[in-house]
Amino acid sequence: MAAETTPSLERRLGPIDAAAIVVSNVIGGGIFFLPIIIAQLVPSAPGIMLVWLFGGALAFAGAMAYAELAALRPRAGGEYVYLRDAYGPLVGFLSGWTSFVAGFSGAIAASALALAEYIGRFAPIAGDATPIVTIPLPFIPLVVSPRSIVALAAILLITLVHQRGLGPGRIVQNVLAGAKVSFILLFLALGFGVGDGQAGNLATAGTMTVGGVLLALVPVMFSYSGWNAAAYVAEEVRSPGRNVPLALGLGTLAVVLIYLALNALYLYAVPATALGSVQGTLVDTVAERLFGFAVGSVSALFTIISIAASVSAMVLAGPRVYFAMARDGLFTAPAARIHPRFHAPVSAILTQAVWSGVLVLSGSLSQLVSYTGFAIILFSGVAVAAVFVLRRREPDAPRPFRAWGYPLAPAVFVLASAVIVVNEIVRNPRPSLAGLAIIALGVPVYWWMRRSRRVAAESV
């Protein structure tokens, strides 16, 4: 009787809903400034397009591997579940720990602050970082400013929407994702249709080295990060064996095509040799080259919508990881509870919002995101490798979907991820080591969680 009345997550998401989460999670501000950095490393139009194409192929290979894992384990939590089952609970916990401490929460905080700055284009007070009051907590002073208040308000508003469940949550998510994609498609259509660009720029070759390409792959893969977002909500997708792979494939493919088209438009407007020296907003520079005038207010409005969509996707996806951890006794117990009316992990969503708010108010803790950025690639590479582990360990398990290109495609993804992570650690040892230290701090937390769970069980 108790099992029948216990609330659970509802399978209300279709493939388009889940694909919208992927698109919103991936397409953020990176595609509008990282191409400048990539052009500095690869000052060649064919080379730039090749790097973005290769990065997209890697993302798609990773998405297909996650599709197999999600179909095999259609549970909330994404790679936490896959790493737990393939390598043990400690490895799974460390991925979830990193997601909570910095991965999702830190990205939400950073995005909310950026959102406040762009709102400041229209209402200057919103972007004002002048301290109003400082709360002198030990080691972590919290600074309240107009900008942080706007950022906190944005996090609170989106959190309240998703606490109401997938009904309003998916509507808001789909509207924001649709607005984001519509603007990009309109910009592409106008740019190639009536813009004053040079098609010859797309064939302009320049100096391209293997080292430059490898370095360029780092920001490219960061731009593509988030392609696995649909896996986090697999437990809420209808017919997950079919629809989660479909969502991962459609969402990732849509992002790859959009990124390739945008980079082609950038090169159509600005030669590769000049793209690396662009100052200011890339969209404004490209628009001025194509149409003869900048689109500052329009691009700022689009950026606000784009960031809001990304924050919404992260507020939706992240708590599913902590919910899965709490269900295993490796997170605070309330995070495992499902609201009886809204069928959402309300406590997990609120916990993420509170920690994101702390990161907004703390300037020092905001560096956690930059320290642990490489962990996104690290854990996704280890998760894709779980395809090999689980196929060997569970050869007869029903697999509604099998990764395309197995074993070559997932093997290439794992190898590329390893090269990128090692390269990042070698080239940027201090922040990388700091990130590894943050991940390692999860080990004593894990043992404390397990001990607390064991003590609680014994007391019962």
Side-chain angles (χ1 to χ4, degrees):
M1 182 68 68
E4 292 176 359
T5 58
T6 300
S8 60
L9 298 175
E10 288 187 316
R11 295 196 181 277
R12 299 187 60 179
L13 297 175
I16 301 302
D17 300 320
I21 297 172
V22 172
V23 172
S24 293
N25 222 339
V26 178
I27 302 178
I31 189 60
F32 303 110
F33 66 85
L34 285 177
I36 297 173
I37 299 174
I38 292 163
Q40 295 169 357
L41 298 169
V42 186
S44 166
I48 290 172
M49 296 302 296
L50 179 64
V51 168
W52 282 100
L53 179 61
F54 184 61
L58 286 176
F60 191 79
M64 292 299 94
Y66 265 67
E68 175 174 326
L69 294 167
L72 179 66
R73 299 282 197 278
R75 308 288 285 171
E79 66 257 5
Y80 162 74
V81 175
Y82 317 146
L83 296 179
R84 178 200 66 194
D85 291 355
Y87 310 108
L90 175 58
V91 179
F93 176 84
L94 291 179
S95 72
W97 159 264
T98 306
S99 293
F100 175 72
V101 172
F104 280 110
S105 302
I108 289 171
S111 297
L113 287 170
L115 181 67
E117 291 182 2
Y118 277 98
I119 293 176
R121 301 276 188 95
F122 303 97
I125 187 64
D128 186 0
T130 303
I132 298 175
V133 62
T134 299
I135 304 173
L137 296 180
F139 308 110
I140 312 173
L142 305 182
V143 180
V144 180
S145 67
R147 184 182 67 169
S148 65
I149 292 174
V150 173
L152 291 174
I155 293 172
L156 176 62
L157 178 61
I158 295 174
T159 295
L160 290 176
V161 169
H162 287 293
Q163 282 191 321
R164 302 284 293 184
L166 290 179
R170 66 175 179 173
I171 293 174
V172 169
Q173 187 60 56
N174 290 348
V175 168
L176 291 173
K180 177 191 290 193
V181 173
S182 297
F183 176 89
I184 293 175
L185 294 179
L186 179 62
F187 186 53
L188 289 169
L190 292 176
F192 284 118
V194 300
D196 185 20
Q198 299 292 327
N201 290 347
L202 295 169
T204 303
T207 304
M208 187 171 66
T209 64
V210 174
V213 170
L214 289 176
L215 289 175
L217 275 174
V218 177
V220 166
M221 291 307 295
F222 281 131
S223 294
Y224 278 116
S225 62
W227 47 262
N228 55 354
Y232 295 106
V233 295
E235 196 166 330
E236 294 159 281
V237 176
R238 299 187 300 270
S239 303
R242 171 185 176 274
N243 288 333
V244 174
L246 188 59
L248 287 167
L250 288 177
T252 305
L253 184 60
V255 170
V256 172
L257 293 176
I258 288 173
Y259 276 10
L260 290 175
L262 279 173
N263 278 279
L265 182 64
Y266 297 158
L267 292 169
Y268 181 67
V270 184
T273 52
L275 186 61
S277 58
V278 168
Q279 301 293 323
T281 305
L282 181 56
V283 173
D284 286 347
T285 301
V286 170
E288 191 168 5
R289 293 285 188 98
L290 293 174
F291 311 123
F293 59 89
V295 290
S297 296
V298 176
S299 65
L301 179 60
F302 163 72
T303 304
I304 290 172
I305 295 173
S306 180
I307 294 175
S310 297
V311 172
S312 176
M314 290 185 286
V315 169
L316 173 61
R320 273 62 184 176
V321 179
Y322 326 135
F323 164 75
M325 295 169 67
R327 195 158 54 181
D328 292 340
L330 296 177
F331 203 79
T332 57
R337 297 173 189 161
I338 300 297
H339 194 279
R341 178 183 173 190
F342 303 132
H343 295 277
V346 173
S347 295
I349 296 172
L350 180 60
T351 301
Q352 177 178 260
V354 170
W355 180 240
S356 297
V358 172
L359 295 180
V360 165
L361 296 174
S362 172
S364 59
L365 289 182
S366 63
Q367 295 179 347
L368 290 173
V369 182
S370 60
Y371 289 160
T372 59
F374 74 95
I376 297 173
I377 299 175
L378 171 65
F379 284 120
S380 62
V382 177
V384 169
V387 172
F388 297 96
V389 176
L390 292 178
R391 280 209 185 188
R392 185 183 68 251
R393 186 179 299 163
E394 304 174 11
D396 299 324
R399 287 175 168 80
F401 180 87
R402 290 178 176 266
W404 292 356
Y406 180 90
L408 180 60
V412 170
F413 182 93
V414 172
L415 178 61
S417 299
V419 170
I420 291 171
V421 169
V422 171
N423 181 72
E424 183 69 12
I425 293 174
V426 171
R427 295 189 63 86
N428 298 296
R430 294 185 64 182
S432 298
L433 291 175
L436 290 173
I438 293 169
I439 295 172
L441 282 175
V443 175
V445 176
Y446 167 77
W447 290 114
W448 176 74
M449 286 281 188
R450 288 201 60 171
R451 182 178 180 278
S452 300
R453 182 186 183 187
R454 185 169 58 252
V455 170
E458 291 173 353
S459 63
V460 174

